[in-house]
Amino acid sequence: MRLSKSKYIVCLLFLWTTVLNVYGQKPDEQLTVKGRVVDQDKKPLPGVAISIQEDKKNTTFNTDGNGNFTIEASTSDVLVFKMVGYGTILKPAGELNMGDIVLTKSLVDAGDNDLVYIPFGVRKKREVTATISTISATNLPQIPSSSLTNVFTGRLPGLSIYPSGSQQPGYDVSSFLVRGRSSYNSNQEPLILVDGIERNFAAMDLGEIESVSVLKDAATLAWYGMYAANGVIYVKTRRGSATSTKVTFDAQAGLQAPLQIARPLDSYSYATLYNEASINSGGAAVYSPAALQAYQDGSDPIKYPNNNFVKDFTKSVAPTQRYVATVTGGNAYLKYYTLLSAYQQGGFYKGGYNETYDANTNFTRYNLRTNIDLHVNKNLDVALDIGGRITNLTFPNQGTAAFLNAVYSTPANAFPVINPNGSYGGTSIFPTSNPQAMLEARGASTDLVRNMIATISARQKMDGILKGLSAEVFYAYDIAGAYRSGFTQTYATSELLPTGLYQTYGTASKVDYLGNSFSGNVKKSEFWAGLDYDRTFGQSDIKFSSRVSRQIYSVFGNLDTKREGISNRLTYGFKQRYFVDLTAGYSSSENFAVGQRFGFFPAASVGWIISDENFMKGTSSFLDFLKIRGSYGLVGNDAIGSARRFAFNDFFSRSTTGYTFGTGYTANGGTAQLALGNPYLTWEKAYKTSVGFDAKMLKQSLSISADYFYEIRKDLATGSQLPSTLGQTLVYVNEGEASYRGFETGISYNKKIGSVNLNVFGNYTYQTSKILKINEAANLPWYQKSVGHPITSVISPAATANSGAGYISSMYKAMGIFQTQAEIDAAPKQLLAKDVKPGDIRYVDQNGDGIINGLDIVKTDYNFVPNSVFGFGATVAVKGFDLNFLLQGTVGSSVTINQLVNAGNTNNGFLNQFSVDRWTPTNTSAPYPRLLIAERGNNTVNSDFWIRSSDYVRLKNLELGYSLNDRFVKRLKLSQLRFYVSGLNLLTFSKLNDLNIDPELPESGFNSSYPYMKIYSFGVNLKF
């Protein structure tokens, strides 16, 4: 008999309850606890403060002169041992049997809060030899945003976060890049892990998160074998504490506003420019002086309309809100952390009404998480994490891209929105571009997405077999599904003809229910099991971990994707001064042929706390701590670019045109072979080197970390160079090679100056990449070859609703704009358009043949990935007030504005807000070429004429808070009451400011893209 998943979970809970009753200690049995507290040298420690967690009387006991203590407690109590200069110890009262409690001196970076989470393990910062950057969620601002990526931007060295897709509510698509790019086969997205399991964290609530770490070098990445060459973002969720029961509640309300949005031309300006473009293209003026006058004076808004679709159909601000409640607590046997949050982000559309539905974009999300830790007995610990997420996204059936394209690009004089007879306006040129009709007569859809995640783990101490040995089993199961419902409707538009009659376009229909559909059904399971060994011998510390793993990813209609491997890690420390880590992963990928799927990925790292050496004693007046470290290793990446799945096999298509037999005219269906499979395909091999140091100075108030890194990546998948005489292509071959190198640093300064608590922090990362090998055509001239140039290129935003973004690195070199016919006659002949006249772009004859054509295209170094990424901020707290801010920016990146300045189509004459700054005989210093309706190829080809620097500095976030006086708060039965205001994306300083486009996402708010938002919010935080 098979159990359903819900019954399965109930059975597990029943099993745990049984285990607690059989093997656990019964709660609330009174006992007298006696013992002794000693240091690591077994010397008694007098004066150690001992308290009971959750003791409302706050009673504290102290050890006597011999370190002895006696306390009355219950079996459910947890005893806390604290002493200045020593690490805090927590022990269940029922597990203390006259034994010694050992307190260890807190060395620098080895205190209670100096924890660093690594794959299936935790270390003190002092012990870490790898390059890991970590930030605690308590240091992050509370921002009512649907994506957490907005909160982490600019806060961690080596991590670059940039918007890379739709910013529509519920999407907020962003990409991550760790250190740099050394592969040209993918965007090199890092592996994102939540509590060790591959999961996306962007849709989590900030309250779920304890910390976020970025794993950057081979010392940690080798654990994941061929899945983590691009780095790892490791998210640790919050867990319960038995220290005290805490209840918190956060409420935020905010407003979001577009950073930049298209500014459409009014009808008069549009008609004037259209006449100019038509004449430049050899035609006549389309709009008469009478029409131009009518557009100016508004005398006939039906025949000569003057719409502002952006103003009429988009809001200047839209609401957003967030509510979060958490409860945490526990005792000696059970600890829990529970969160429930609700988030809502309204869309910024307006202008349409339908009593049946609201087609404005609207997004809501509900998050639930419960993390439970069960201390079954002194040898067995069990953890259960359950989380759920429900999202609702409503949007117009017309589609976001189509609707925004109509709002941004439809000429102001195209049609009246509503005709005198009450019908929707339209024309034969713009039959389906009425924004009001799209919102109120086209229908709306709602996507309901449900996510459930569950993780169970058990750790059993095995000291009876070998002291310090333990076993762990870890299993995660995630499911997700989407359900679409809504209303469907169609509309018709009408055009008032000179005869007084109406011409109708399309067919209107009444509202009906949309056919419901299920999609996006995903199941993922992940299993880890293995052993840990943690033992101290004198001054030597040994830690060993070994795990086997298996992951299965299932999508309805596709074959399962499977991964499996073995991971091992050995750590040795001597005198808490010298450290060595050896890590090795042995993993597989189905992307490669049977027999060639497994690879071995070793890495080693060392650390030396040089400040503890005798020869460094002279620096102790200002230098408190200095650790130097380095790592080297091999990590893999099983991505093979855009190749089909199972590219090692040959595949055939059955849908190709076949042959005609006999006297018939219809061909019989045929079969054709796709690109030849390559059975020798293998994974990318990333050889990573990292060398750095960590330092603390000025009584540990100043902390500095810095790293130099270098990576060379081999066996990149690149196109094959098969001769064309073969008549067939090959999928890919592993003949590519690339590298990156760079430097990163992080700095923080913490100081209390009188009543002021000050924390200043900053980070900086510099990186550059280079293509070392790539298969290209043998006859390419040197200036068109990719070798020696950086990986990636500038991003060309979508020019229309149906064209996707592209990557551009090859382009013509421009020499400004032709000013006279004499310049044209003296220049090389440009063959990119039928005619070249003054006002057109002039190009460099790269090969000197007197002709401008495809042979003059050059490979450039322009790049959307910046060379430098930085963040700088501070937190100041004084007398109940607190202020924190972050300035974030980039240097060395570029964007192309070609598809913005030349946006449009023949229907609107390719005219937009940028067209005003075009070249004319009386405005020869204009930034853009002359206007044309036809034969525009010369001025629209990819060239550096359209390249602009996207360097910027942005006030990413600012938060100002005030906590009420403690005495007043206690009267309200609260422990804290704080009010705060915050903002996201508040100010931007960029060379693109004059263009009114955003340097991070230039196309946002233009063409057909949802705008990038700034957010202002007010919040209140209560702690009970």
Side-chain angles (χ1 to χ4, degrees):
M1 180 180 69
R2 297 185 63 182
L3 294 175
S4 67
K5 293 180 177 63
S6 59
K7 292 180 179 179
Y8 180 70
I9 293 174
V10 170
C11 291
L12 285 176
L13 291 172
F14 176 77
L15 177 62
W16 293 331
T17 304
T18 304
V19 170
L20 279 172
N21 290 331
V22 176
Y23 294 102
Q25 298 144 335
K26 295 181 180 180
D28 299 328
E29 289 185 356
Q30 296 299 310
L31 69 160
T32 300
V33 181
K34 296 181 179 181
R36 186 177 69 145
V37 181
V38 298
D39 62 15
Q40 64 265 36
D41 297 323
K42 303 299 182 182
K43 294 180 180 180
L45 286 176
V48 175
I50 307 172
S51 60
I52 300 175
Q53 285 186 345
E54 295 280 6
D55 180 17
K56 296 181 179 179
K57 298 179 180 179
N58 294 319
T59 306
T60 300
F61 304 88
N62 294 300
T63 57
D64 61 21
N66 295 318
N68 297 316
F69 66 91
T70 301
I71 295 178
E72 299 296 328
S74 71
T75 52
S76 62
D77 288 335
V78 175
L79 302 185
V80 182
F81 299 83
K82 277 189 175 183
M83 188 172 184
V84 176
Y86 291 81
T88 302
I89 294 290
L90 284 76
K91 288 285 187 179
E95 296 179 10
L96 294 175
N97 299 313
M98 300 297 291
D100 287 345
I101 306 299
V102 180
L103 294 189
T104 303
K105 278 192 175 183
S106 295
L107 300 172
V108 177
D109 270 358
D112 294 337
N113 298 320
D114 295 322
L115 299 179
V116 176
Y117 295 96
I118 60 176
F120 289 89
V122 61
R123 297 284 189 270
K124 298 292 186 181
K125 288 182 182 179
R126 185 181 184 90
E127 302 173 287
V128 175
T129 59
T131 307
I132 302 175
S133 298
T134 301
I135 187 170
S136 171
T138 57
N139 296 325
L140 296 172
Q142 301 287 324
I143 300 292
S145 171
S146 65
S147 176
L148 279 182
T149 56
N150 287 317
V151 178
F152 295 97
T153 302
R155 291 187 174 269
L156 290 166
L159 177 63
S160 177
I161 304 175
Y162 53 93
S164 58
S166 174
Q167 300 302 299
Q168 178 181 337
Y171 288 93
D172 289 9
V173 180
S174 295
S175 294
F176 300 89
L177 189 64
V178 175
R179 285 189 164 173
R181 295 194 65 179
S182 59
S183 174
Y184 41 74
N185 285 322
S186 64
N187 287 331
Q188 284 202 237
E189 289 283 331
L191 180 67
I192 297 177
L193 305 173
V194 178
D195 291 331
I197 299 299
E198 187 174 358
R199 290 168 174 152
N200 189 2
F201 79 98
M204 295 173 64
D205 188 272
L206 183 61
E208 299 179 61
I209 295 176
E210 177 183 319
S211 66
V212 174
S213 300
V214 182
L215 317 183
K216 295 176 276 192
D217 66 348
T220 49
L221 302 181
W223 177 272
Y224 296 102
M226 68 173 68
Y227 317 131
N230 302 329
V232 168
I233 297 177
Y234 193 97
V235 179
K236 181 74 171 62
T237 62
R238 296 188 179 185
R239 310 206 69 81
S241 169
T243 302
S244 61
T245 298
K246 295 180 180 179
V247 179
T248 70
F249 178 74
D250 273 283
Q252 288 177 276
L255 296 173
Q256 50 180 332
L259 279 174
Q260 301 291 350
I261 194 167
R263 302 177 182 178
L265 298 167
D266 61 75
S267 292
Y268 175 78
S269 299
Y270 173 80
T272 301
L273 293 174
Y274 196 97
N275 282 346
E276 181 182 320
S278 179
I279 293 171
N280 288 345
S281 298
V286 175
Y287 296 97
S288 66
L292 296 177
Q293 181 62 40
Y295 288 135
Q296 280 188 301
D297 58 31
S299 57
D300 189 349
I302 299 300
K303 187 176 181 181
Y304 300 102
N306 185 21
N307 298 301
N308 187 328
F309 293 120
V310 171
K311 179 181 178 181
D312 294 339
F313 294 99
T314 66
K315 302 175 183 177
S316 57
V317 294
T320 180
Q321 51 189 327
R322 171 178 174 259
Y323 304 95
V324 186
T326 69
V327 182
T328 180
N331 55 32
Y333 299 109
L334 181 145
K335 293 184 295 184
Y336 59 88
Y337 179 84
T338 299
L339 173 141
L340 177 64
S341 72
Y343 172 81
Q344 187 271 334
Q345 182 180 0
F348 84 128
Y349 306 158
K350 71 174 183 179
Y353 171 76
N354 188 302
E355 62 183 10
T356 305
Y357 57 82
D358 182 359
N360 190 8
T361 299
N362 185 74
F363 175 74
T364 57
R365 184 187 68 214
Y366 303 94
N367 292 63
L368 171 66
R369 172 177 290 274
T370 297
N371 291 350
I372 300 174
D373 295 286
L374 298 171
H375 184 63
V376 180
N377 57 44
K378 65 179 181 180
N379 292 321
L380 178 61
D381 292 287
V382 176
L384 173 65
D385 300 347
I386 298 177
R389 184 168 61 249
I390 299 175
T391 63
N392 281 277
L393 175 62
T394 300
F395 54 91
N397 281 351
Q398 191 74 49
T400 297
F403 174 74
L404 290 177
N405 189 59
V407 170
Y408 297 153
S409 303
T410 304
N413 66 342
F415 46 75
V417 176
I418 300 295
N419 289 314
N421 68 348
S423 63
Y424 295 118
T427 67
S428 59
I429 299 177
F430 300 101
T432 59
S433 298
N434 191 308
Q436 185 167 334
M438 291 179 176
L439 287 179
E440 64 185 21
R442 184 63 181 86
S445 297
T446 298
D447 282 345
L448 172 64
V449 180
R450 299 181 180 94
N451 298 77
M452 190 278 284
I453 61 173
T455 304
I456 181 172
S457 64
R459 177 177 290 275
Q460 174 71 45
K461 292 183 180 179
M462 305 174 69
D463 289 339
I465 299 175
L466 179 64
K467 188 175 181 180
L469 183 67
S470 62
E472 183 182 34
V473 177
F474 190 99
Y475 178 74
Y477 184 82
D478 299 356
I479 58 175
Y483 170 73
R484 176 170 291 183
S485 60
F487 300 91
T488 182
Q489 189 177 3
T490 59
Y491 62 87
T493 60
S494 299
E495 180 181 8
L496 179 60
L497 302 176
T499 61
L501 301 176
Y502 284 92
Q503 175 68 51
T504 300
Y505 308 99
T507 302
S509 67
K510 294 182 178 181
V511 178
D512 196 3
Y513 287 104
L514 184 71
N516 300 334
S517 62
F518 291 89
S519 63
N521 296 311
V522 176
K523 295 187 296 182
K524 186 170 76 69
S525 62
E526 193 163 340
F527 174 79
W528 293 76
L531 300 172
D532 293 289
Y533 179 70
D534 189 346
R535 189 80 180 272
T536 298
F537 299 92
Q539 293 184 319
S540 296
D541 295 309
I542 297 176
K543 296 180 177 68
F544 174 75
S545 297
S546 182
R547 294 290 189 279
V548 295
S549 64
R550 182 174 175 83
Q551 181 188 104
I552 300 177
Y553 184 84
S554 303
V555 179
F556 181 77
N558 295 328
L559 294 174
D560 290 352
T561 301
K562 300 177 182 179
R563 288 178 172 179
E564 55 188 18
I566 303 173
S567 305
N568 297 279
R569 178 177 56 240
L570 174 64
T571 299
Y572 174 74
F574 181 65
K575 290 186 176 181
Q576 281 291 298
R577 187 185 307 170
Y578 313 102
F579 303 96
V580 177
D581 282 273
L582 301 175
T583 307
Y586 183 69
S587 56
S588 71
S589 173
E590 292 181 321
N591 287 344
F592 314 112
V594 175
Q596 301 185 69
R597 291 181 171 176
F598 282 87
F600 180 65
F601 305 92
S605 60
V606 295
W608 176 23
I609 301 178
I610 193 172
S611 56
D612 283 0
E613 301 294 346
N614 290 330
F615 60 80
M616 294 290 290
K617 298 301 182 184
T619 63
S620 60
S621 60
F622 66 92
L623 181 65
D624 305 297
F625 177 81
L626 176 61
K627 176 173 67 177
I628 57 176
R629 47 184 167 72
S631 67
Y632 177 78
L634 170 64
V635 191
N637 179 26
D638 64 344
I640 50 176
S642 58
R644 61 178 183 261
R645 192 177 180 190
F646 306 132
F648 52 85
N649 279 335
D650 289 325
F651 289 90
F652 297 83
S653 171
R654 298 179 181 178
S655 60
T656 60
T657 302
Y659 299 93
T660 301
F661 296 94
T663 59
Y665 294 99
T666 302
N668 293 293
T671 298
Q673 186 175 17
L674 302 180
L676 297 175
N678 181 0
Y680 303 105
L681 271 177
T682 187
W683 50 86
E684 298 177 349
K685 298 173 178 61
Y687 298 86
K688 293 178 177 282
T689 301
S690 186
V691 179
F693 72 86
D694 304 307
K696 291 181 179 292
M697 294 176 281
L698 306 178
K699 297 183 180 180
Q700 301 189 47
S701 61
L702 178 63
S703 300
I704 302 175
S705 294
D707 288 88
Y708 166 81
F709 52 86
Y710 174 74
E711 176 181 313
I712 183 168
R713 193 171 296 207
K714 300 182 178 181
D715 286 337
L716 300 184
T718 181
S720 65
Q721 293 296 295
L722 294 179
S724 58
T725 54
L726 184 64
Q728 186 58 287
T729 59
L730 183 63
V731 170
Y732 274 121
V733 293
N734 295 109
E735 295 178 357
E737 190 172 311
S739 69
Y740 71 67
R741 67 179 71 237
F743 167 82
E744 66 182 32
T745 184
I747 184 171
S748 66
Y749 179 76
N750 292 275
K751 186 72 174 180
K752 185 170 184 179
I753 306 172
S755 60
V756 179
N757 287 307
L758 175 65
N759 174 28
V760 180
F761 58 89
N763 64 83
Y764 174 80
T765 303
Y766 173 83
Q767 64 82 30
T768 182
S769 63
K770 182 182 292 187
I771 297 175
L772 303 178
K773 293 181 182 178
I774 186 171
N775 284 343
E776 300 178 286
N779 60 347
L780 279 180
W782 64 268
Y783 53 83
Q784 291 185 347
K785 290 183 178 295
S786 298
V787 173
H789 290 279
I791 300 170
T792 71
S793 49
V794 294
I795 296 180
S796 173
T800 69
N802 298 318
S803 64
Y807 297 89
I808 303 170
S809 59
S810 296
M811 61 190 72
Y812 291 93
K813 302 289 287 186
M815 297 176 63
I817 295 177
F818 284 119
Q819 300 296 331
T820 64
Q821 185 62 44
E823 288 184 3
I824 298 174
D825 295 338
K829 186 175 180 57
Q830 299 191 177
L831 303 179
L832 306 180
K834 181 180 179 181
D835 295 310
V836 177
K837 294 183 178 181
D840 289 337
I841 301 174
R842 180 178 183 177
Y843 299 107
V844 175
D845 183 9
Q846 189 68 36
N847 62 354
D849 63 357
I851 297 174
I852 303 297
N853 56 18
L855 294 177
D856 297 299
I857 295 176
V858 301
K859 181 70 71 172
T860 66
D861 291 344
Y862 297 117
N863 207 316
F864 79 91
V865 177
N867 290 331
S868 300
V869 179
F870 58 88
F872 169 79
T875 300
V876 183
V878 56
K879 295 183 179 180
F881 289 94
D882 60 90
L883 171 71
N884 70 75
F885 70 88
L886 174 71
L887 291 167
Q888 171 259 335
T890 65
V891 175
S893 59
S894 302
V895 297
T896 176
I897 61 172
N898 193 352
Q899 278 72 23
L900 294 176
V901 176
N902 293 305
N905 50 53
T906 55
N907 290 340
N908 63 13
F910 302 94
L911 298 175
N912 53 63
Q913 68 188 62
F914 303 104
S915 303
V916 176
D917 296 321
R918 79 290 185 200
W919 185 96
T920 67
T922 59
N923 185 24
T924 57
S925 60
Y928 310 128
R930 65 191 180 115
L931 299 180
L932 292 168
I933 294 177
E935 287 296 326
R936 305 174 72 248
N938 186 86
N939 296 335
T940 59
V941 294
N942 293 320
S943 73
D944 63 354
F945 182 89
W946 302 109
I947 301 296
R948 300 291 187 272
S949 169
S950 58
D951 299 349
Y952 72 92
V953 176
R954 170 169 285 164
L955 180 57
K956 189 65 179 179
N957 62 262
L958 176 70
E959 183 174 296
L960 174 64
Y962 177 71
S963 299
L964 297 183
N965 183 276
D966 287 344
R967 283 183 291 181
F968 176 77
V969 169
K970 288 181 179 178
R971 294 178 186 174
L972 302 176
K973 306 299 182 182
L974 301 173
S975 63
Q976 182 180 351
L977 177 57
R978 177 176 178 263
F979 299 93
Y980 57 96
V981 291
S982 63
L984 177 74
N985 296 330
L986 296 178
L987 293 172
T988 304
F989 306 93
S990 165
K991 296 178 181 179
L992 296 175
N993 284 349
D994 293 340
L995 295 175
N996 296 314
I997 62 177
D998 186 75
E1000 279 193 284
L1001 199 61
E1003 70 271 26
S1004 62
F1006 294 88
N1007 293 334
S1008 58
S1009 298
Y1010 204 90
Y1012 199 21
M1013 294 290 186
K1014 64 174 67 174
I1015 299 175
Y1016 307 92
S1017 65
F1018 169 80
V1020 58
N1021 171 249
L1022 295 87
K1023 292 183 179 180
F1024 298 89

